[in-house]
Amino acid sequence: MATVVEAPETTFAFQRRGRWIDRWEPDNSEFWENGGKQTARKNLIFSVFAENLGFSVWVLWASVVTAMGSAGFAFLSAKNPDSVNNALLLTSTPTLVGAALRVPYTFAIPRFGGRAFTAFSAAMLLIPTLGLAYFINQPSTPMWVFMVLAALAGVGGGNFSSSMANINFFFPEGKKGAALGINAAGGNLGVAQTQLFVPLIITLGTHIMAKNPGGYRFGITLAVLVWIPFILVALFGALRYMDSLSGAKSDGKSYELALKNRHTWVMAILYIGTFGSFIGFSFAFPTLLKANFPSLAKIGWMGTLGNLAFLGALVGSMSRPFGGWIADKLSGAKITLYVFGGMAVAAALIVASLSAKNFPLYLISFLLLFVFSGIGNGSTYRMIPMIFTAEARRHASETGQGIGAALISAKRQAGAAIGVIGAIGAAGGWILQQALRLSNTHYHSMNPAFWGYVVAYLAMGAICWWFYLRSSFAVGRAPSLAHANV
């Protein structure tokens, strides 16, 4: 039966079968205060929950691989000289697949609706989790089967784009930043919670059974199956409580314009440095801890070292909203420039800690790198709409186009650009992990990879300065950008 969101003498939202809302006016203050706000917040809550689980399943392999050698899988055994490389292959595969899925997932919301696609994306998480729970109990399973399962876990990474695209339509302009920040941070926290709880549950499994391969397999099974009830709740919640907006239409023209705009690709490079580092190191951190400091694996509660790996994702997630907030105060470009300088220093300190075999310095340096990457995630996202708005104002002043139409076009292009930039940034996590793997293969050391990161971060800082901060830019092709608090 159709339902309505009503205000005195006015009906603002018409809802039909399938929970489609045919009229949605969040920028109408009367509409917003008389039912719109409650509907938007309800959809945000269930979107955050589903996205959080998506990230949790996406990063599940980062913790699981550290215990699979003890569970009896020879290709990850400590005696296998290729175990670190195999582990990095398994952890980087979900990163790449998740990055690739971000583009089609962005387009799915206008086509299928937020409610239906959130339910679908939650249901998809059952495939890699149930598959892993089954095959982890088959010690003869070859590595390629686990590679397929790791690839299927990439569906969790695609959830970010569909969730952000959906929530973007629900909120008014003045509240989108906060809503999207909450949505993004809630998803990112899924990485930290997985890396905290999965190693603890694996350890619990070995205590229940025995500290032998069978016990580790039991522990991994528990650590995977624990997500199933939450996934089912997310699926039910999306179907029962979420809505779809018929006005959430895709804009192919905006995507075409965004792809032709050089700033989309400049910002994609910068986002590779920030989000690519966050997600890439989140996947690799448990393996790096175990590979570089294997003696610590013998210390009881630090058995898999995953008990400390969660700290990186936690501080990176928590610092993301701060990056957006401080960028509002000082400008996103300045903060992003400082972020890359800080990340270069942190990467250099990691090299120093590896050379000195100093675990406290190694951990602190990595946490510093995660903090800077989180701040950079917030500041770069802050830059994108400001850049396209400044470009639109410049174009309008040069061509005589109406400023209102120009700003509407800028908003649509920025939304399209965010989808592209998010996908490329996530792919940066895969590149980062491959650099670690190749460095370990050819040099038997992680140091060359980290020196490469230092150079890359400094180069990205220079790119940020060149396009958005240098004083001579004020007399260049887009003078408004130099003074737009980008």
Side-chain angles (χ1 to χ4, degrees), residues 15-39:
Q15 196 173 80
R16 52 188 165 88
R17 183 172 296 178
R19 301 190 67 90
W20 281 89
I21 298 177
D22 290 328
R23 185 182 176 190
W24 185 254
E25 301 175 4
D27 290 300
N28 180 325
S29 59
E30 189 179 358
F31 168 87
W32 183 250
E33 294 299 329
N34 288 279
K37 177 168 58 178
Q38 289 82 356
T39 298

mmCIF file of all heavy atoms in Angstrom, residues 15-39:
data_model
loop_
_atom_site.group_PDB
_atom_site.id
_atom_site.type_symbol
_atom_site.label_atom_id
_atom_site.label_comp_id
_atom_site.label_asym_id
_atom_site.label_seq_id
_atom_site.Cartn_x
_atom_site.Cartn_y
_atom_site.Cartn_z
ATOM 1 N N GLN A 15 5.398 7.581 -2.349
ATOM 2 C CA GLN A 15 6.104 6.309 -2.334
ATOM 3 C C GLN A 15 5.220 5.234 -2.938
ATOM 4 O O GLN A 15 4.042 5.127 -2.607
ATOM 5 C CB GLN A 15 6.475 5.944 -0.892
ATOM 6 C CG GLN A 15 7.515 4.853 -0.799
ATOM 7 C CD GLN A 15 7.950 4.674 0.633
ATOM 8 O OE1 GLN A 15 7.262 4.025 1.399
ATOM 9 N NE2 GLN A 15 9.080 5.241 0.990
ATOM 10 N N ARG A 16 5.783 4.433 -3.843
ATOM 11 C CA ARG A 16 5.014 3.381 -4.487
ATOM 12 C C ARG A 16 5.647 2.025 -4.175
ATOM 13 O O ARG A 16 6.615 1.934 -3.430
ATOM 14 C CB ARG A 16 4.949 3.614 -5.995
ATOM 15 C CG ARG A 16 6.289 3.823 -6.675
ATOM 16 C CD ARG A 16 6.082 4.236 -8.125
ATOM 17 N NE ARG A 16 7.295 4.779 -8.734
ATOM 18 C CZ ARG A 16 8.220 4.057 -9.343
ATOM 19 N NH1 ARG A 16 8.111 2.744 -9.381
ATOM 20 N NH2 ARG A 16 9.267 4.630 -9.880
ATOM 21 N N ARG A 17 5.087 0.993 -4.765
ATOM 22 C CA ARG A 17 5.541 -0.372 -4.483
ATOM 23 C C ARG A 17 7.042 -0.500 -4.747
ATOM 24 O O ARG A 17 7.569 0.054 -5.700
ATOM 25 C CB ARG A 17 4.773 -1.362 -5.354
ATOM 26 C CG ARG A 17 5.127 -2.813 -5.089
ATOM 27 C CD ARG A 17 4.194 -3.743 -5.831
ATOM 28 N NE ARG A 17 2.824 -3.595 -5.343
ATOM 29 C CZ ARG A 17 1.790 -4.278 -5.854
ATOM 30 N NH1 ARG A 17 1.979 -5.120 -6.852
ATOM 31 N NH2 ARG A 17 0.571 -4.100 -5.364
ATOM 32 N N GLY A 18 7.714 -1.279 -3.890
ATOM 33 C CA GLY A 18 9.159 -1.396 -4.007
ATOM 34 C C GLY A 18 9.886 -0.289 -3.270
ATOM 35 O O GLY A 18 11.093 -0.136 -3.388
ATOM 36 N N ARG A 19 9.117 0.499 -2.485
ATOM 37 C CA ARG A 19 9.663 1.604 -1.687
ATOM 38 C C ARG A 19 10.391 2.626 -2.562
ATOM 39 O O ARG A 19 11.420 3.170 -2.179
ATOM 40 C CB ARG A 19 10.574 1.073 -0.574
ATOM 41 C CG ARG A 19 9.872 0.120 0.390
ATOM 42 C CD ARG A 19 10.739 -0.187 1.597
ATOM 43 N NE ARG A 19 10.935 0.997 2.420
ATOM 44 C CZ ARG A 19 10.132 1.348 3.424
ATOM 45 N NH1 ARG A 19 9.067 0.634 3.698
ATOM 46 N NH2 ARG A 19 10.381 2.419 4.132
ATOM 47 N N TRP A 20 9.858 2.897 -3.738
ATOM 48 C CA TRP A 20 10.371 3.968 -4.596
ATOM 49 C C TRP A 20 9.692 5.279 -4.205
ATOM 50 O O TRP A 20 8.463 5.340 -4.086
ATOM 51 C CB TRP A 20 10.086 3.670 -6.067
ATOM 52 C CG TRP A 20 11.034 2.683 -6.673
ATOM 53 C CD1 TRP A 20 10.897 1.331 -6.697
ATOM 54 C CD2 TRP A 20 12.246 2.978 -7.358
ATOM 55 N NE1 TRP A 20 11.964 0.743 -7.343
ATOM 56 C CE2 TRP A 20 12.809 1.735 -7.770
ATOM 57 C CE3 TRP A 20 12.922 4.160 -7.665
ATOM 58 C CZ2 TRP A 20 14.001 1.652 -8.468
ATOM 59 C CZ3 TRP A 20 14.111 4.079 -8.365
ATOM 60 C CH2 TRP A 20 14.651 2.842 -8.755
ATOM 61 N N ILE A 21 10.469 6.323 -4.007
ATOM 62 C CA ILE A 21 9.931 7.651 -3.714
ATOM 63 C C ILE A 21 9.980 8.471 -4.996
ATOM 64 O O ILE A 21 11.050 8.684 -5.571
ATOM 65 C CB ILE A 21 10.737 8.342 -2.591
ATOM 66 C CG1 ILE A 21 10.628 7.536 -1.300
ATOM 67 C CG2 ILE A 21 10.249 9.769 -2.372
ATOM 68 C CD1 ILE A 21 11.443 8.084 -0.145
ATOM 69 N N ASP A 22 8.811 8.919 -5.444
ATOM 70 C CA ASP A 22 8.727 9.616 -6.726
ATOM 71 C C ASP A 22 9.022 11.109 -6.625
ATOM 72 O O ASP A 22 9.325 11.747 -7.631
ATOM 73 C CB ASP A 22 7.339 9.422 -7.348
ATOM 74 C CG ASP A 22 7.137 7.985 -7.829
ATOM 75 O OD1 ASP A 22 8.138 7.372 -8.237
ATOM 76 O OD2 ASP A 22 5.999 7.494 -7.782
ATOM 77 N N ARG A 23 8.902 11.657 -5.447
ATOM 78 C CA ARG A 23 9.196 13.084 -5.288
ATOM 79 C C ARG A 23 10.069 13.284 -4.061
ATOM 80 O O ARG A 23 9.703 12.913 -2.954
ATOM 81 C CB ARG A 23 7.894 13.881 -5.146
ATOM 82 C CG ARG A 23 8.122 15.390 -5.090
ATOM 83 C CD ARG A 23 6.808 16.126 -4.905
ATOM 84 N NE ARG A 23 7.017 17.560 -4.754
ATOM 85 C CZ ARG A 23 6.075 18.430 -4.387
ATOM 86 N NH1 ARG A 23 4.849 17.965 -4.148
ATOM 87 N NH2 ARG A 23 6.335 19.695 -4.278
ATOM 88 N N TRP A 24 11.232 13.879 -4.297
ATOM 89 C CA TRP A 24 12.191 14.063 -3.197
ATOM 90 C C TRP A 24 12.837 15.431 -3.340
ATOM 91 O O TRP A 24 13.516 15.708 -4.324
ATOM 92 C CB TRP A 24 13.243 12.955 -3.229
ATOM 93 C CG TRP A 24 14.183 13.002 -2.055
ATOM 94 C CD1 TRP A 24 15.483 13.410 -2.051
ATOM 95 C CD2 TRP A 24 13.880 12.636 -0.715
ATOM 96 N NE1 TRP A 24 16.015 13.326 -0.793
ATOM 97 C CE2 TRP A 24 15.040 12.843 0.054
ATOM 98 C CE3 TRP A 24 12.732 12.152 -0.083
ATOM 99 C CZ2 TRP A 24 15.088 12.589 1.426
ATOM 100 C CZ3 TRP A 24 12.777 11.888 1.272
ATOM 101 C CH2 TRP A 24 13.949 12.102 2.011
ATOM 102 N N GLU A 25 12.619 16.311 -2.346
ATOM 103 C CA GLU A 25 13.094 17.695 -2.412
ATOM 104 C C GLU A 25 13.858 18.054 -1.142
ATOM 105 O O GLU A 25 13.379 18.818 -0.302
ATOM 106 C CB GLU A 25 11.910 18.649 -2.599
ATOM 107 C CG GLU A 25 11.101 18.380 -3.855
ATOM 108 C CD GLU A 25 9.869 19.263 -3.951
ATOM 109 O OE1 GLU A 25 9.698 20.140 -3.067
ATOM 110 O OE2 GLU A 25 9.086 19.089 -4.895
ATOM 111 N N PRO A 26 15.040 17.511 -0.947
ATOM 112 C CA PRO A 26 15.768 17.754 0.300
ATOM 113 C C PRO A 26 16.173 19.214 0.505
ATOM 114 O O PRO A 26 16.352 19.648 1.649
ATOM 115 C CB PRO A 26 17.005 16.852 0.163
ATOM 116 C CG PRO A 26 17.170 16.669 -1.313
ATOM 117 C CD PRO A 26 15.783 16.642 -1.870
ATOM 118 N N ASP A 27 16.327 19.984 -0.576
ATOM 119 C CA ASP A 27 16.705 21.394 -0.429
ATOM 120 C C ASP A 27 15.513 22.289 -0.102
ATOM 121 O O ASP A 27 15.683 23.481 0.134
ATOM 122 C CB ASP A 27 17.396 21.883 -1.708
ATOM 123 C CG ASP A 27 18.777 21.263 -1.871
ATOM 124 O OD1 ASP A 27 19.624 21.463 -0.979
ATOM 125 O OD2 ASP A 27 18.997 20.541 -2.862
ATOM 126 N N ASN A 28 14.331 21.717 -0.097
ATOM 127 C CA ASN A 28 13.132 22.424 0.350
ATOM 128 C C ASN A 28 13.064 22.286 1.871
ATOM 129 O O ASN A 28 12.828 21.200 2.399
ATOM 130 C CB ASN A 28 11.896 21.801 -0.317
ATOM 131 C CG ASN A 28 10.601 22.465 0.094
ATOM 132 O OD1 ASN A 28 10.436 22.910 1.230
ATOM 133 N ND2 ASN A 28 9.657 22.511 -0.832
ATOM 134 N N SER A 29 13.271 23.369 2.594
ATOM 135 C CA SER A 29 13.394 23.291 4.050
ATOM 136 C C SER A 29 12.128 22.755 4.713
ATOM 137 O O SER A 29 12.194 22.035 5.708
ATOM 138 C CB SER A 29 13.734 24.672 4.628
ATOM 139 O OG SER A 29 12.742 25.620 4.291
ATOM 140 N N GLU A 30 10.955 23.090 4.170
ATOM 141 C CA GLU A 30 9.713 22.593 4.743
ATOM 142 C C GLU A 30 9.613 21.080 4.563
ATOM 143 O O GLU A 30 9.236 20.347 5.482
ATOM 144 C CB GLU A 30 8.520 23.287 4.085
ATOM 145 C CG GLU A 30 7.196 22.982 4.777
ATOM 146 C CD GLU A 30 6.034 23.698 4.113
ATOM 147 O OE1 GLU A 30 6.270 24.446 3.146
ATOM 148 O OE2 GLU A 30 4.894 23.481 4.563
ATOM 149 N N PHE A 31 9.973 20.624 3.370
ATOM 150 C CA PHE A 31 9.996 19.187 3.105
ATOM 151 C C PHE A 31 10.976 18.485 4.039
ATOM 152 O O PHE A 31 10.675 17.433 4.620
ATOM 153 C CB PHE A 31 10.405 18.949 1.647
ATOM 154 C CG PHE A 31 10.751 17.521 1.332
ATOM 155 C CD1 PHE A 31 9.767 16.627 0.969
ATOM 156 C CD2 PHE A 31 12.065 17.054 1.419
ATOM 157 C CE1 PHE A 31 10.069 15.304 0.687
ATOM 158 C CE2 PHE A 31 12.377 15.740 1.145
ATOM 159 C CZ PHE A 31 11.375 14.858 0.775
ATOM 160 N N TRP A 32 12.155 19.054 4.193
ATOM 161 C CA TRP A 32 13.213 18.427 4.984
ATOM 162 C C TRP A 32 12.796 18.265 6.444
ATOM 163 O O TRP A 32 13.049 17.224 7.067
ATOM 164 C CB TRP A 32 14.493 19.245 4.872
ATOM 165 C CG TRP A 32 15.672 18.644 5.583
ATOM 166 C CD1 TRP A 32 16.273 19.101 6.708
ATOM 167 C CD2 TRP A 32 16.387 17.469 5.201
ATOM 168 N NE1 TRP A 32 17.316 18.291 7.067
ATOM 169 C CE2 TRP A 32 17.411 17.277 6.158
ATOM 170 C CE3 TRP A 32 16.260 16.561 4.143
ATOM 171 C CZ2 TRP A 32 18.312 16.225 6.079
ATOM 172 C CZ3 TRP A 32 17.151 15.504 4.076
ATOM 173 C CH2 TRP A 32 18.162 15.343 5.029
ATOM 174 N N GLU A 33 12.165 19.279 7.001
ATOM 175 C CA GLU A 33 11.800 19.247 8.417
ATOM 176 C C GLU A 33 10.536 18.434 8.681
ATOM 177 O O GLU A 33 10.256 18.093 9.816
ATOM 178 C CB GLU A 33 11.615 20.669 8.942
ATOM 179 C CG GLU A 33 12.894 21.493 8.957
ATOM 180 C CD GLU A 33 13.971 20.890 9.848
ATOM 181 O OE1 GLU A 33 13.607 20.240 10.864
ATOM 182 O OE2 GLU A 33 15.163 21.069 9.544
ATOM 183 N N ASN A 34 9.761 18.136 7.644
ATOM 184 C CA ASN A 34 8.501 17.430 7.831
ATOM 185 C C ASN A 34 8.543 16.041 7.203
ATOM 186 O O ASN A 34 7.703 15.674 6.385
ATOM 187 C CB ASN A 34 7.347 18.247 7.244
ATOM 188 C CG ASN A 34 7.025 19.479 8.065
ATOM 189 O OD1 ASN A 34 6.331 19.418 9.071
ATOM 190 N ND2 ASN A 34 7.562 20.607 7.642
ATOM 191 N N GLY A 35 9.540 15.275 7.574
ATOM 192 C CA GLY A 35 9.623 13.887 7.140
ATOM 193 C C GLY A 35 10.851 13.559 6.316
ATOM 194 O O GLY A 35 11.353 12.436 6.389
ATOM 195 N N GLY A 36 11.344 14.520 5.544
ATOM 196 C CA GLY A 36 12.500 14.251 4.699
ATOM 197 C C GLY A 36 13.737 13.904 5.492
ATOM 198 O O GLY A 36 14.467 12.959 5.157
ATOM 199 N N LYS A 37 13.981 14.646 6.558
ATOM 200 C CA LYS A 37 15.175 14.431 7.380
ATOM 201 C C LYS A 37 15.188 13.033 7.983
ATOM 202 O O LYS A 37 16.218 12.349 7.970
ATOM 203 C CB LYS A 37 15.224 15.493 8.477
ATOM 204 C CG LYS A 37 16.362 15.351 9.447
ATOM 205 C CD LYS A 37 16.502 16.596 10.323
ATOM 206 C CE LYS A 37 15.251 16.885 11.100
ATOM 207 N NZ LYS A 37 15.431 18.067 11.991
ATOM 208 N N GLN A 38 14.051 12.597 8.496
ATOM 209 C CA GLN A 38 13.977 11.288 9.126
ATOM 210 C C GLN A 38 14.214 10.171 8.102
ATOM 211 O O GLN A 38 14.909 9.188 8.380
ATOM 212 C CB GLN A 38 12.613 11.098 9.785
ATOM 213 C CG GLN A 38 12.404 11.944 11.035
ATOM 214 C CD GLN A 38 11.991 13.377 10.717
ATOM 215 O OE1 GLN A 38 11.932 13.767 9.547
ATOM 216 N NE2 GLN A 38 11.713 14.150 11.763
ATOM 217 N N THR A 39 13.647 10.340 6.914
ATOM 218 C CA THR A 39 13.835 9.326 5.869
ATOM 219 C C THR A 39 15.295 9.250 5.434
ATOM 220 O O THR A 39 15.859 8.164 5.254
ATOM 221 C CB THR A 39 12.947 9.649 4.656
ATOM 222 O OG1 THR A 39 11.578 9.606 5.061
ATOM 223 C CG2 THR A 39 13.165 8.647 3.530
#
